[in-house]
């Protein structure tokens, strides 16, 4: 089968790694990803050029297209391809609003009484937004309505000092049209632990994946700006140290209700649904949705996948998804980034990666925002590569992942605290405190 993977990051590298086991993979990338280039036939072109994507898919007799990043979904790449009878793993433009339009997502929860909603307001007027913050009398989270690459959210008590700074950021969103909208979503600040559950969706039914916890802060001990994600982990039982089976099941019910509601509101949802939740004293609460695999979370779950991904894709486009199996192991992913990321000055410098020795240790490398020229693999200003390790226990996986880092050199940095015994204990303790308050 000829399958096209759209995207050039570590998420797409992980997808290609699985599909290439049983399919002929073609990749459409903005830059040459060294990991993808080893496994697939590819072209380097603009991921926003829908006409060119369509022509490339037709020329190569593509049967299924797997859409990696969010931006082409927002532009309607699925609508364009499916007019040419090329089935897609990814929702159409209207259904993708569950990610691309935060106002749409919140309204859907309200209109269809989906559990797990929170207090919020959507505003297209600066004065009304400021009045809401003044009258709310609680700490808030400020979100641009549209896409920001995971870097637009700011939280009072974290990136923002207080609600006065929240109002300043709100004005900035309006004045600069951050994410393309003169509008903002203002939400209550939840207390608890964040986690993600992703699911394969065939248009009607879904198959959930192991729960993952990401680390979005740039620096250790959860300090610094929110980034696209610095690393993540899973547990062998598919749960997390603070997440029970009951909490997991409740979260899956929210995902199922969300798909059902999207189908009623705008039409069929097919592809990957990523739900980011906060486990609170009142149970799971939705933070946001992605209409595709998360990055780095895709690396965790795909490294554990024990069902052929090509077969899953075939079943999804035929609305006949079957049980999906995952290995009962732990996984740990840590992102390597340029020094001083996200405000780095080390783009265009070489990063050396000894994949052979990393694999001997039991690790795997997935390349992200790097490029390759005659001199070697070079950094950009964004995340460079993800290192993933799996093992019977979380401590073993973390140790392997950390050991792999000595085989990556350059002007680089990674969070060594991800999935350590100390870090996991802190998360458990935090959840205990939240439940006791």
């Amino acid at each position: 089968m000829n399958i096209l993977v759209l995207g050039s990051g570590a998420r797409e590298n992980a997808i290609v790694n699985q599909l290439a086991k049983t399919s002929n993979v073609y990749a459409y990338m903005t830059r040459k990803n060294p990991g993808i280039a080893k496994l697939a036939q590819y072209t380097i072109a603009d991921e926003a050029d829908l006409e060119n994507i369509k022509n490339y898919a037709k020329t190569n007799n593509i049967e299924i297209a797997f859409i990696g990043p969010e931006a082409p979904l927002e532009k309607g790449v699925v609508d364009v391809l499916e007019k040419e009878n090329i089935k897609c793993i990814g929702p159409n433009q209207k259904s993708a609003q569950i990610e691309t339009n935060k106002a749409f997502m919140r309204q859907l929860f309200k209109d269809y009484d989906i559990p797990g909603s929170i207090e919020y307001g959507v505003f297209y007027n600066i004065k009304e937004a400021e009045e809401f913050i003044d009258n709310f009398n609680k700490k808030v989270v400020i979100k641009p309505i549209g896409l920001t690459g995971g870097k637009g959210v700011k939280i009072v008590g974290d990136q923002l000092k207080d609600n006065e700074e929240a109002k300043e950021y709100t004005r900035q969103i309006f004045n600069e049209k951050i994410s393309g909208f003169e509008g903002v979503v203002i939400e209550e600040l939840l207390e608890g632990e964040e986690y993600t559950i992703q699911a394969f969706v065939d248009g009607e039914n879904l198959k959930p994946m192991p729960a993952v916890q990401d680390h979005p802060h740039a620096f250790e001990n959860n300090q610094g700006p929110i980034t696209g994600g610095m690393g993540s982990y899973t547990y062998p039982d598919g749960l997390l140290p603070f997440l029970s089976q009951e909490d997991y099941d409740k979260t899956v019910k929210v995902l199922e209700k969300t798909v059902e509601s999207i189908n009623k509101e705008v039409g069929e949802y097919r592809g990957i649904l990523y739900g980011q939740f906060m486990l609170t004293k009142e149970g799971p609460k939705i933070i946001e949705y992605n209409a595709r695999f998360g990055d780095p979370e895709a690396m965790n779950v795909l490294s554990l996948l024990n069902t052929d991904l090509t077969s899953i894709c075939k079943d999804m486009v035929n609305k006949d998804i079957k049980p999906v199996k995952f290995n009962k192991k732990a996984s740990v992913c840590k992102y390597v980034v340029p020094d001083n990321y996200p405000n780095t000055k080390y783009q265009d410098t070489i990063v050396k990666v000894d994949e052979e020795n990393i694999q001997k240790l039991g690790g795997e490398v997935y390349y992200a925002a790097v490029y390759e020229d005659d001199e070697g693999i070079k950094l950009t200003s964004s995340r460079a590569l993800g290192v993933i390790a799996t093992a019977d226990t979380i401590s073993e996986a973390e140790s392997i992942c950390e050991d792999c880092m000595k085989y990556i050199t350059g002007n680089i940095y990674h969070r060594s605290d991800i999935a350590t015994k100390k870090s996991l204990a802190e998360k458990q303790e935090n959840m205990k405190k939240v439940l006791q308050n």
Side-chain angles (χ1 to χ4, degrees):
M1 170 171 275
N2 292 347
I3 297 184
L4 172 66
V5 176
L6 176 60
S8 53
R11 165 183 50 221
E12 290 76 33
N13 193 171
I15 293 167
V16 169
N17 188 60
Q18 288 292 331
L19 291 174
K21 294 176 181 179
T22 53
S23 289
N24 300 317
V25 181
Y26 292 77
Y28 188 104
M29 305 182 278
T30 54
R31 65 177 73 86
K32 182 181 177 181
N33 180 306
I36 294 174
K38 292 177 186 176
L39 299 168
Q41 299 182 57
Y42 64 91
T43 188
I44 308 299
D46 182 4
E47 289 173 20
D49 188 343
L50 303 192
E51 185 70 16
N52 196 44
I53 295 169
K54 179 187 75 174
N55 292 336
Y56 182 73
K58 290 174 66 177
T59 299
N60 291 289
N61 299 311
I62 297 300
E63 297 164 77
I64 296 176
F66 202 124
I67 315 303
E70 62 273 28
L73 292 172
E74 182 182 39
K75 286 181 173 293
V77 67
V78 171
D79 306 73
V80 170
L81 291 174
E82 295 204 332
K83 282 181 182 177
E84 304 297 327
N85 294 315
I86 298 168
K87 295 295 185 181
C88 294
I89 305 301
N92 62 32
Q93 190 175 34
K94 287 185 177 179
S95 297
Q97 289 181 96
I98 196 67
E99 172 176 9
T100 63
N101 187 333
K102 294 180 180 67
F104 171 85
M105 186 274 278
R106 287 298 174 195
Q107 192 64 41
L108 191 79
F109 266 65
K110 182 178 180 180
D111 291 346
Y112 290 89
D113 195 26
I114 304 173
S117 191
I118 63 175
E119 291 185 64
Y120 74 98
V122 179
F123 302 95
Y124 300 92
N125 177 283
I126 294 178
K127 185 178 180 181
E128 291 176 0
E130 290 179 335
E131 288 176 353
F132 179 86
I133 294 171
D134 286 335
N135 296 327
F136 198 57
N137 292 322
K138 297 178 185 178
K139 293 180 179 179
V140 295
V141 179
I142 307 296
K143 297 181 177 181
I145 287 176
L147 297 176
T148 59
K151 300 172 185 177
V153 175
K154 292 194 177 183
I155 302 167
V156 170
D158 198 332
Q159 299 81 19
L160 303 171
K161 180 181 177 182
D162 52 29
N163 279 7
E164 286 302 311
E165 283 197 3
K167 289 194 288 185
E168 290 179 20
Y169 181 51
T170 298
R171 288 192 286 272
Q172 182 185 351
I173 291 172
F174 275 89
N175 294 334
E176 298 179 13
K177 293 186 180 179
I178 294 176
S179 83
F181 289 85
E182 283 191 70
V184 68
V185 178
I186 303 172
E187 300 173 354
E188 65 171 308
L189 177 60
L190 299 173
E191 290 189 3
E193 284 291 330
E194 290 187 30
Y195 64 99
T196 296
I197 295 179
Q198 301 166 104
F200 296 104
V201 186
D202 70 1
E204 294 178 3
N205 305 299
L206 64 79
K207 299 299 179 185
M209 307 181 209
V212 190
Q213 186 171 45
D214 182 26
H215 296 69
H217 291 84
F219 309 133
E220 298 199 351
N221 300 313
N222 299 316
Q223 301 297 308
I226 297 288
T227 72
M230 291 294 292
S232 45
Y233 68 91
T234 65
Y235 262 51
D237 59 2
L239 304 174
L240 293 167
F242 53 84
L243 186 75
S244 69
Q245 186 65 51
E246 181 182 2
D247 295 324
Y248 180 95
D249 293 342
K250 285 180 180 178
T251 307
V252 172
K253 291 292 185 185
V254 175
L255 296 174
E256 291 172 341
K257 180 71 172 175
T258 300
V259 171
E260 179 185 319
S261 301
I262 295 171
N263 289 353
K264 290 178 181 177
E265 184 70 14
V266 294
E268 179 183 276
Y269 187 99
R270 183 176 65 241
I272 309 300
L273 184 63
Y274 165 117
Q276 183 182 8
F277 292 84
M278 181 79 79
L279 184 60
T280 71
K281 190 174 183 178
E282 291 76 35
K285 300 282 187 179
I286 184 68
I287 296 175
E288 65 180 13
Y289 276 114
N290 290 340
R292 36 74 190 183
F293 267 125
D295 186 346
E297 296 94 338
M299 290 180 271
N300 293 93
V301 295
L302 290 175
S303 70
L304 300 171
L305 187 63
N306 197 22
T307 301
D308 175 45
L309 185 56
T310 297
S311 296
I312 296 172
C313 291
K314 289 178 183 177
D315 291 344
M316 287 171 70
V317 300
N318 291 321
K319 293 188 179 181
D320 186 28
I321 192 165
K322 297 177 179 65
V324 177
K325 295 181 180 179
F326 294 88
N327 293 320
K328 294 186 180 301
K329 291 189 173 185
S331 70
V332 173
C333 176
K334 300 189 183 188
Y335 246 118
V336 173
V337 301
D339 270 337
N340 301 320
Y341 172 78
N343 300 309
T344 185
K345 297 179 181 179
Y346 294 105
Q347 58 263 39
D348 304 316
T349 62
I350 290 175
V351 57
K352 293 183 178 180
V353 185
D354 186 345
E355 288 190 54
E356 184 178 347
N357 275 309
I358 288 172
Q359 289 171 353
K360 283 180 181 177
L361 286 174
E364 191 69 49
V365 174
Y366 293 119
Y367 291 92
V370 297
Y371 66 96
E372 191 173 18
D373 62 19
D374 292 340
E375 294 180 320
I377 299 170
K378 293 185 176 180
L379 301 170
T380 65
S381 60
S382 193
R383 297 177 298 171
L385 55 94
V387 177
I388 183 84
T390 62
D392 291 333
T393 67
I394 191 77
S395 59
E396 289 177 89
E398 191 279 326
S399 179
I400 293 168
C401 193
E402 193 64 30
D403 285 346
C404 290
M405 293 301 175
K406 63 189 175 192
Y407 293 110
I408 305 170
T409 56
N411 297 303
I412 54 171
Y413 161 80
H414 76 280
R415 278 189 59 175
S416 61
D417 64 332
I418 291 170
T420 59
K421 184 177 180 180
K422 177 176 179 289
S423 172
L424 297 173
E426 288 172 351
K427 294 176 184 303
Q428 289 175 295
E429 187 60 31
N430 178 54
M431 199 65 233
K432 285 181 183 177
K433 289 179 181 178
V434 168
L435 294 174
Q436 289 169 357
N437 287 342

